[in-house]
Amino acid sequence: MENKHVYRLQGLSCANCAAKFEKNVKAIHTVEDAQVNFGAAKLTVIGEASMEQLEKAGAFDGIRLIPEQAKIQIDPLPFWKKRANILAFISAFFVLLGYAASAWGGEKDPLVIGLFALSIVIGGYDLLRTGLANIWHFRFDMKTLMTIAIIGAAFIDEWKEGAVVVFLFAVSEALERYSMDRARRSIQQLIDFAPKKALIRRGKQEYEMDVDDLQVDDIIIVKPGQKIAADGVVIQGASSVNEATITGESMPVHKTIGDEVYAGTMNEEGALEIRVTKRVNDSMLAKMIHLVEEAQAERAPSQQFVDRFARYYTPMIMLVAFFVALIPPLLFSGSWETWIYRGLTVLVVGCPCALVISTPVAIVTAIGHAAHRGVLIKGGIHLEELGKLTAIAFDKTGTLTKGKPEVTDIHIFSNDRTEKELLQIAASIEKYSQHPIASAIVREAQKQGISLDEWSVVDFHSITGKGVSASVNKTAYYIGSPALFSEHPLSTEMVDAISSLQQEGKTVVGIGDQTELFGIIAVSDRARERAALTIKQLYREKIERIVMLTGDNRATATSIGGALGVNEVKAELLPEDKLRIIKEIRDEHGRIAMVGDGVNDAPALAAASVGVAMGAAGTDVALETADIVLMSDDLQQLPYVIRLSRKTLRIIKQNIMFALLLKLLALILIVPGWLTLWMAVFADMGATLIVLFNSLRLMRI
């Protein structure tokens, strides 16, 4: 989209500020649309707006913009150098002076009042400016509540209380910014993995250049200990490459000529020459960063609830505060000063800060943490759904098994054919198929030195769920499951051979023509090393139903399912059968995850509550089709991400319940006058900090 501009944001302090900044940008007449991603601290603008206009829209929060593709790197300011924190320290200094002076001259002394007033003006300058603007425009958020409370405290001569409120609120805001920065750091670390420069060879010359200027088919040279600058294919050399940035797997992977490598991964041993296959913006790392940022922007169901609740909550708190200040003096002869003070305390207690951040900080932390483990979660909604699962369906080939089957047996049933001829016919046809079993037959033919280009192959057709047909040298042949030849006359020898191989857990492929089955090829696909352990862990995670779905024959499927510990196997399925079964289980259990390779079974993945793809280091198809991608093809990441999801849900519920219960308790304590203004702010700050640090516990999973 030509009119789309993306900026990184510095200084964005809170979720309410993000919403206000987005609204301000949308109000610029040349802007068609805008979206602020609070989790990733990014702004996307559709339309035209100058940097000056955009920074003016965010001036209320001191927001600075950096174009996403800009090469400038602005290091974050230390905590003690940030303007808001400096003002908070100065405010605290005048509060302490005010307390010291009040010990000599009393709280009503003009010098004491002046010191507290100075503390309010310095520490609360940004707060009061924003709050007054909000009051003028009838916008109600936590800064509006705090502004009314501070002005009210000054109005009833509670200058000391007002100054302490300003200082504590500034501390709360600073700590909230610090915690959100920690949660966002997961994205920044992903960005930092990619090197900024690359050593390139063009012709006979070698020179260094910016990775942004790399072109497809450029040759880059990566020395031992250097990071790979772009996605590409090794054309010279061999080395071990640490792909933890992409897959989360710390064990190095051996790479040699013809192997794919990814930007941001570390070359550990030998020198490599790599032909660039993707521009820097299209690299696997760039896609991961984009997906993580998009995921953190997407509101989870619990966050949507909190956002809706907060819209009504703040005006309701203002109404309660108004009645607390008004009704006792009017109807019960209460002191105006006392009850106005208590009404102001209600406003402070009612600040929805802890409630507003209860969900986003947990979601941002969880998604960022998962990305570092090589698990891409495409949004908070999928993270929440995963935690509520009671049923999981697995595709067999490429998911529970390695997806690289090997030919183990060849049986001939025709005296006119040889093993080599049978394999040559099968491989000549199967080279047009993408199925893993077809690839195994082609690999076996190549291993035996059989040429696949001698014969003419035309009229290739796929027979859904059963096999393929094609004309080889003007003769029609069929290759597929034994069911494809069910109408052919099969001898006892054929039936026994097929049955025996299937009982061994092997997949049997028949080769024949319209009248005769010439022979069979047995193919075996070994189970993934940790598949059985993963199934056990899923049962321990209270997954009630685990189903294996496969188009393979029942005997083979039962053998593999039994070895892995899967207690329910559904075999000989067509794609539409898998879709039907997923819908049936979803209707029965409410939610189901489908785990597949992201290439086949797309309808089943789409129909499941959560589609989980084995990433094969992030194939484009897997990234596009699934809600969750296991980048390293490690099934053991599945129990991990379920635990992460469930802990995230627990933490979100704890955060919301704690924030609301603390507010309720504080409101009850206000009525008898047991809660002062500064204590109310302290309680609100405490609630915010507990919510933040509770969410950051997700980093320890």
Side-chain angles (χ1 to χ4, degrees):
M1 191 179 295
E2 287 184 29
N3 248 9
K4 181 178 176 181
H5 309 278
V6 182
Y7 304 89
R8 297 198 171 276
L9 306 176
Q10 286 203 329
L12 184 63
S13 61
C14 65
N16 280 326
C17 300
K20 183 179 177 182
F21 179 47
E22 182 179 291
K23 187 176 179 181
N24 289 352
V25 173
K26 285 180 178 177
I28 298 172
H29 70 277
T30 52
V31 171
E32 298 170 31
D33 195 16
Q35 182 187 28
V36 173
N37 181 335
F38 176 57
K42 284 177 72 175
L43 167 69
T44 302
V45 178
I46 309 297
E48 293 296 334
S50 67
M51 290 277 286
E52 186 181 355
Q53 287 176 300
L54 295 173
E55 290 196 339
K56 185 178 178 183
F60 69 92
D61 199 34
I63 295 170
R64 294 182 64 193
L65 283 82
I66 306 166
E68 189 179 38
Q69 302 305 325
K71 296 176 184 176
I72 57 171
Q73 183 68 35
I74 299 178
D75 294 325
L77 283 172
F79 185 81
W80 60 88
K81 286 188 178 181
K82 292 182 178 178
R83 176 179 173 276
N85 299 341
I86 291 171
L87 293 178
F89 289 137
I90 296 171
S91 174
F93 174 72
F94 282 111
V95 167
L96 292 174
L97 282 181
Y99 268 96
S102 65
W104 296 92
E107 291 185 13
K108 304 302 179 185
D109 186 279
L111 175 63
V112 172
I113 292 173
L115 289 169
F116 285 132
L118 205 55
S119 173
I120 290 171
V121 171
I122 293 171
Y125 175 76
D126 293 331
L127 165 66
L128 294 169
R129 189 180 63 175
T130 303
L132 289 169
N134 286 351
I135 294 168
W136 180 258
H137 293 101
F138 292 96
R139 286 194 297 260
F140 303 109
D141 61 15
M142 59 186 174
K143 290 189 176 179
T144 310
L145 299 183
M146 294 301 295
T147 299
I148 295 171
I150 292 162
I151 292 172
F155 180 74
I156 60 172
D157 242 11
E158 291 287 349
W159 293 94
K160 178 178 72 174
E161 296 274 351
V164 175
V165 164
V166 165
F167 169 66
L168 289 177
F169 184 74
V171 171
S172 175
E173 290 271 276
L175 290 171
E176 182 184 338
R177 279 193 297 272
Y178 172 75
S179 301
M180 276 308 299
D181 286 343
R182 273 199 68 188
R184 289 184 185 126
R185 209 172 295 157
S186 58
I187 300 175
Q188 189 58 48
Q189 285 172 346
L190 282 176
I191 294 169
D192 292 342
F193 279 133
K196 304 294 184 288
K197 301 282 186 180
L199 182 63
I200 183 173
R201 189 180 72 227
R202 285 181 179 165
K204 294 183 179 180
Q205 286 190 322
E206 294 180 7
Y207 51 92
E208 197 174 64
M209 67 185 301
D210 291 327
V211 293
D212 292 338
D213 297 327
L214 287 175
Q215 302 292 325
V216 172
D217 291 330
D218 275 343
I219 306 301
I220 58 174
I221 299 167
V222 186
K223 297 175 183 177
Q226 291 184 337
K227 289 179 181 176
I228 295 170
D231 287 9
V233 175
V234 177
I235 60 170
Q236 188 68 42
S239 181
S240 293
V241 176
N242 187 325
E243 296 186 334
T245 52
I246 301 293
T247 66
E249 177 57 62
S250 58
M251 289 297 291
V253 180
H254 184 72
K255 299 287 183 179
T256 187
I257 295 171
D259 289 338
E260 272 191 295
V261 291
Y262 304 102
T265 56
M266 177 69 76
N267 178 27
E268 295 194 340
E269 294 175 351
L272 295 175
E273 290 188 17
I274 297 163
R275 181 175 59 81
V276 175
T277 55
K278 292 178 183 175
R279 295 285 310 269
V280 63
N281 292 336
D282 299 321
S283 71
M284 189 56 60
L285 186 64
K287 286 181 181 177
M288 282 180 62
I289 293 166
H290 176 72
L291 285 172
V292 171
E293 289 179 336
E294 290 297 307
Q296 291 180 334
E298 183 181 320
R299 282 172 163 77
S302 57
Q303 189 174 345
Q304 292 171 354
F305 161 75
V306 168
D307 289 347
R308 286 196 303 271
F309 182 79
R311 279 203 298 269
Y312 302 103
Y313 171 84
T314 306
M316 183 178 70
I317 284 292
M318 293 189 71
L319 204 60
V320 170
F322 178 74
F323 286 131
V324 166
L326 203 63
I327 289 177
L330 285 179
L331 300 183
F332 304 105
S333 302
S335 163
W336 280 100
E337 185 175 331
T338 299
W339 286 100
I340 287 174
Y341 180 86
R342 291 177 186 175
L344 296 175
T345 309
V346 169
L347 288 179
V348 173
V349 163
C351 271
C353 187
L355 185 64
V356 167
I357 66 166
S358 60
T359 300
V361 72
I363 296 292
V364 166
T365 302
I367 290 176
H369 184 269
H372 276 277
R373 289 284 299 268
V375 180
L376 289 187
I377 304 171
K378 289 190 179 179
I381 184 170
H382 309 305
L383 185 67
E384 288 198 13
E385 286 288 296
L386 199 65
K388 299 171 185 175
L389 290 176
T390 56
I392 297 178
F394 285 92
D395 179 37
K396 178 179 78 69
T397 306
T399 303
L400 291 173
T401 61
K402 290 186 174 180
K404 281 199 171 182
E406 297 174 354
V407 172
T408 58
D409 305 87
I410 300 176
H411 288 270
I412 302 296
F413 301 133
S414 171
N415 295 328
D416 299 331
R417 308 280 178 174
T418 64
E419 281 192 14
K420 183 176 180 180
E421 184 183 358
L422 191 76
L423 189 57
Q424 188 170 19
I425 293 170
S428 296
I429 296 173
E430 294 284 33
K431 70 179 182 181
Y432 294 99
S433 173
Q434 296 298 315
H435 197 280
I437 291 174
S439 301
I441 293 171
V442 171
R443 282 197 301 273
E444 181 64 23
Q446 290 170 337
K447 191 191 299 181
Q448 294 190 20
I450 296 172
S451 173
L452 304 183
D453 300 318
E454 289 181 3
W455 295 345
S456 169
V457 180
V458 294
D459 298 330
F460 179 90
H461 295 291
S462 176
I463 304 168
T464 305
K466 292 184 178 181
V468 297
S469 69
S471 178
V472 181
N473 289 346
K474 300 183 179 179
T475 302
Y477 292 99
Y478 293 84
I479 301 178
S481 69
L484 185 61
F485 302 92
S486 58
E487 296 180 4
H488 291 53
L490 300 181
S491 67
T492 305
E493 179 196 358
M494 295 177 183
V495 173
D496 289 346
I498 292 169
S499 177
S500 174
L501 290 167
Q502 288 177 341
Q503 285 171 6
E504 292 175 21
K506 296 174 181 178
T507 300
V508 178
V509 178
I511 301 100
D513 59 18
Q514 292 178 333
T515 60
E516 183 184 3
L517 177 65
F518 303 144
I520 56 175
I521 297 175
V523 176
S524 178
D525 186 8
R526 286 182 295 171
R528 291 183 182 272
E529 285 85 353
R530 295 191 279 187
L533 178 60
T534 298
I535 299 298
K536 283 182 185 176
Q537 289 177 336
L538 289 173
Y539 281 126
R540 284 203 294 267
E541 292 296 331
K542 303 293 188 293
I543 300 297
E544 299 169 6
R545 190 173 179 185
I546 298 178
V547 187
M548 186 175 84
L549 308 178
T550 178
D552 217 335
N553 69 83
R554 192 168 304 280
T556 301
T558 303
S559 172
I560 292 174
L564 294 176
V566 177
N567 58 14
E568 190 173 349
V569 175
K570 296 188 180 292
E572 299 175 1
L573 302 176
L574 300 174
E576 54 264 34
D577 296 324
K578 293 182 181 180
L579 177 61
R580 173 181 51 78
I581 290 168
I582 289 292
K583 288 181 176 178
E584 287 173 358
I585 298 174
R586 188 186 63 197
D587 292 341
E588 183 179 341
H589 287 265
R591 292 176 178 84
I592 181 172
M594 172 69 186
V595 187
D597 59 11
V599 179
N600 304 314
D601 307 318
L605 281 169
S609 311
V610 182
V612 182
M614 304 294 287
T619 60
D620 288 343
V621 178
L623 291 173
E624 291 295 328
T625 58
D627 303 315
I628 294 172
V629 183
L630 309 182
M631 298 290 285
S632 67
D633 277 2
D634 183 1
L635 277 174
Q636 285 228 275
Q637 289 177 322
L638 192 56
Y640 150 72
V641 79
I642 288 174
R643 286 194 299 273
L644 176 69
S645 171
R646 288 178 176 169
K647 187 160 187 178
T648 304
L649 285 173
R650 285 198 302 273
I651 281 176
I652 288 171
K653 288 174 183 175
Q654 289 167 7
N655 288 349
I656 293 171
M657 291 302 296
F658 182 81
L660 290 176
L661 287 174
L662 193 66
K663 300 293 181 192
L664 184 62
L665 177 63
L667 287 170
I668 292 169
L669 294 176
I670 287 169
V671 176
W674 295 347
L675 201 72
T676 63
L677 263 178
W678 71 267
M679 288 169 64
V681 179
F682 198 77
D684 182 66
M685 180 177 73
T688 301
L689 292 180
I690 288 171
V691 163
L692 288 167
F693 291 126
N694 192 36
S695 299
L696 292 175
R697 287 194 302 126
L698 289 165
M699 288 182 170
R700 298 206 305 267
I701 292 183

